Amino acid sequence: MPSLLKSGSFVTVRRLRAYSLMLLAGYALAIGALLASADGIVDAWGRPLGTDFANVYAAGRMAQEGNAALAYDWPAHRAVQQAVSGRADIPYYGWHYPPVFLFLATVLALFPYLAALFLYQALSLAAYVHVVRRIAGHAQAYLLALAFPAVFINVTHGHNGFVTAALLGGALLVLDRRPAIAGMLIGFLVYKPQFGVLIPLVLVATARWRTFAAAVTTVAVLCALTWLAFGTDVWIAFWRSLPLTQKIILEDGSTGFYKIQSVFAALRLMGAPVGIAYAGQLATMGTVAVTLVLLWRSSAAFPLKAAALLIGSLLATPYALDYDLVLLAPAIAFLAAHGLREGFTPYEVSGLVALWALPLAARTIGAATLVPLAAPVMLAMFFLILRRAGTIDTLAAWRGPAAVLARLRP
C-alpha cells in the first residue's frame, strides 16, 4: 500500500472513466429522486430545491421591488422566501453577499424559480467545464470535471462555486496572454471577496500592473454601478450586517462547522475557542501568503504557481463551504496537465486523487467523527506543490526578514 500511494500506479484512465461514470449516474439518480419527490419547489425534507439559491432568488425579487437594502434584513428576507415557496416552515437561507451580486440575483428573479435555478446552474456549469477543459488540454477532462463531487454538491445547493472557479481559473488561464481580461475576471470576484485576498499580493509581487489595474477598475465600476442602481442604503445595510454574519454564521457555526472547510472551522470543530481558531487561521494565511510570493517570483512552472494560488485562496479564508471546493477543479487540472507533461513526483498522483475525492467525504466524515478533512488534505497538496517548485528549499535557507526582503526586490 505505501508503494502504491507513493507511485500512484493504482490510477488508470480506465478506472478514472469508470468511477466518473458511476458517480455521474449516482448524481442523476439522486437529483431525479429529489425532483420527483418535491412538492412544488420544496423537497421532501421541507427545503427549497437548490436550498441556498432561495436566498439569491428572494434578494433578486426584493431588488426588483425597490427594496434591495431589505435583503440584509433577515426577517424581511425570510418573508420573501416563504412567499416564493408558499410555505411558512421552510428553513431560512441568509443573504450575506456584497451588493454587487444583486445584479445577477435581479436577472435570475425575472424567471420562475425552477427555471432560474436551472439556467443559473446550467450556464455556470458550462463555463466551469470549459475553463477546466482548456486548462487540462485533454478531452478526458470533460468527464472528470463533471464527475468531480463538488459539482453535485454545488448543483443541489444551487450555489455559485462554478462561477468562482470559472472566474479565477479563467483569469489564470489567460493571465500572461490577456492580462487586462484576466484583471477583469479577477475583479468580478468582488461578489465573493474572501477568495481574492491573496490575488493582489501575487499581482503586485510579480509586477503584473495591467492585470492589477484592470481588476481594481472592474471592482470600482461594479461598485459604482451598484450604487447607481440600488442606492446608498444597500451599502449601509450590507456593512451593518457584517458583524451579525460573522458572529452567527462563522464564529457560532450556525451553518455547521463540519460544512465549513477552513482551518478556522477545523479548529472550532475540534473544540478550540474562537481566539485560537482565529490565530490558527491567521497563521495559515500568513504562511500561505509568504510562500505564494516566493513561489510566484521564482522560475517554477506556471501551472504550479496557478494551482498553489487556487488552493491557497481556499486555505486563506476562514469561510469556505464544501460547494466552494469546486475551486479545486482548476487546480487539479493545472497540476495534472503539468504532471502528464513533466512526470509526477512521489505522492503527487495520490494527492490529486485525494483532492478530487475530498468533497465526497469532507462534510460526512466531519459530521460523523468531528475530524476535519479538507484543511489537512489541502495543506498537504499545497506542501507537495511547494516541494516540487523548490520553494521548500528556499524557505529552509531563509536567514531572517532581511533575506526575504532581498529576494522580493525587483
Side-chain angles (χ1 to χ4, degrees):
M1 180 63 74
S3 62
L4 281 177
L5 292 176
K6 185 175 182 179
S7 67
S9 58
F10 63 93
V11 178
T12 64
V13 172
R14 183 178 178 180
R15 285 175 178 167
L16 287 175
R17 186 182 296 113
Y19 285 121
S20 294
L21 290 172
M22 284 191 289
L23 283 170
L24 284 172
Y27 301 161
L29 287 172
I31 292 171
L34 194 66
L35 293 172
S37 62
D39 178 13
I41 68 165
V42 178
D43 68 19
W45 292 270
R47 307 165 305 187
L49 291 168
T51 59
D52 285 1
F53 181 68
N55 76 59
V56 176
Y57 194 81
R61 278 282 183 89
M62 298 173 86
Q64 286 178 0
E65 296 165 1
N67 298 317
L70 286 178
Y72 298 99
D73 180 289
W74 292 7
H77 188 231
R78 179 173 190 172
V80 176
Q81 291 183 32
Q82 292 169 329
V84 169
S85 66
R87 295 270 290 269
D89 58 344
I90 60 166
Y92 174 56
Y93 300 91
W95 173 262
H96 312 297
Y97 295 101
V100 293
F101 201 46
L102 284 168
F103 283 116
L104 180 58
T106 303
V107 171
L108 289 170
L110 293 171
F111 301 91
Y113 183 91
L114 288 180
L117 176 59
F118 175 79
L119 284 171
Y120 182 37
Q121 292 304 294
L123 294 177
S124 59
L125 174 63
Y128 148 81
V129 171
H130 175 71
V131 167
V132 172
R133 165 66 177 84
R134 288 284 307 280
I135 291 170
H138 197 286
Q140 197 73 27
Y142 282 123
L143 182 60
L144 292 170
L146 285 170
F148 182 41
V151 167
F152 175 70
I153 297 169
N154 193 88
V155 168
T156 53
H157 284 76
H159 236 281
N160 47 39
F162 301 140
V163 179
T164 306
L167 288 174
L168 187 48
L172 290 168
L173 183 65
V174 301
L175 182 60
D176 289 332
R177 293 181 290 107
R178 299 285 188 272
I181 292 176
M184 291 177 63
L185 294 175
I186 290 168
F188 281 117
L189 277 173
V190 69
Y191 88 97
K192 212 152 189 180
Q194 71 266 36
F195 294 119
V197 174
L198 300 178
I199 298 172
L201 184 67
V202 166
L203 295 178
V204 170
T206 55
R208 285 179 161 86
W209 301 116
R210 286 184 63 190
T211 302
F212 184 86
V216 171
T217 302
T218 301
V219 170
V221 169
L222 287 173
C223 291
L225 289 174
T226 303
W227 174 71
L228 288 171
F230 304 113
T232 304
D233 288 348
V234 73
W235 286 102
I236 296 172
F238 167 65
W239 185 258
R240 289 177 175 172
S241 73
L242 291 178
L244 185 60
T245 297
Q246 178 181 355
K247 178 73 171 65
I248 302 298
I249 304 300
L250 179 61
E251 295 179 354
D252 292 348
S254 66
T255 302
F257 290 123
Y258 60 93
K259 297 179 185 177
I260 305 174
Q261 310 301 320
S262 68
V263 170
F264 176 90
L267 292 170
R268 292 290 283 147
L269 185 65
M270 294 186 293
V274 170
I276 297 296
Y278 272 129
Q281 184 64 57
L282 217 60
T284 302
M285 183 171 67
T287 302
V288 169
V290 169
T291 52
L292 277 176
V293 169
L294 291 174
L295 172 61
W296 273 73
R297 288 182 61 86
S298 74
S299 59
F302 182 80
L304 299 179
K305 297 176 181 180
L309 181 57
L310 288 159
I311 297 172
S313 296
L314 285 165
L315 287 170
T317 176
Y319 192 66
L321 278 293
D322 51 356
Y323 39 73
D324 292 315
L325 296 180
V326 175
L327 200 55
L328 292 175
I332 294 169
F334 273 118
L335 292 171
H338 180 70
L340 289 171
R341 285 194 305 268
E342 307 295 334
F344 293 99
T345 61
Y347 299 105
E348 280 187 346
V349 173
S350 295
L352 288 174
V353 171
L355 213 58
W356 191 83
L358 179 63
L360 193 63
R363 178 188 293 202
T364 304
I365 291 178
T369 67
L370 303 184
V371 174
L373 284 184
V377 170
M378 289 190 291
L379 283 166
M381 198 65 216
F382 191 74
F383 173 84
L384 288 176
I385 296 170
L386 297 178
R387 184 192 67 181
R388 176 163 189 148
T391 309
I392 296 296
D393 296 334
T394 300
L395 288 170
W398 182 34
R399 299 184 184 279
V404 171
L405 290 173
R407 291 179 182 276
L408 298 183
R409 291 195 191 102

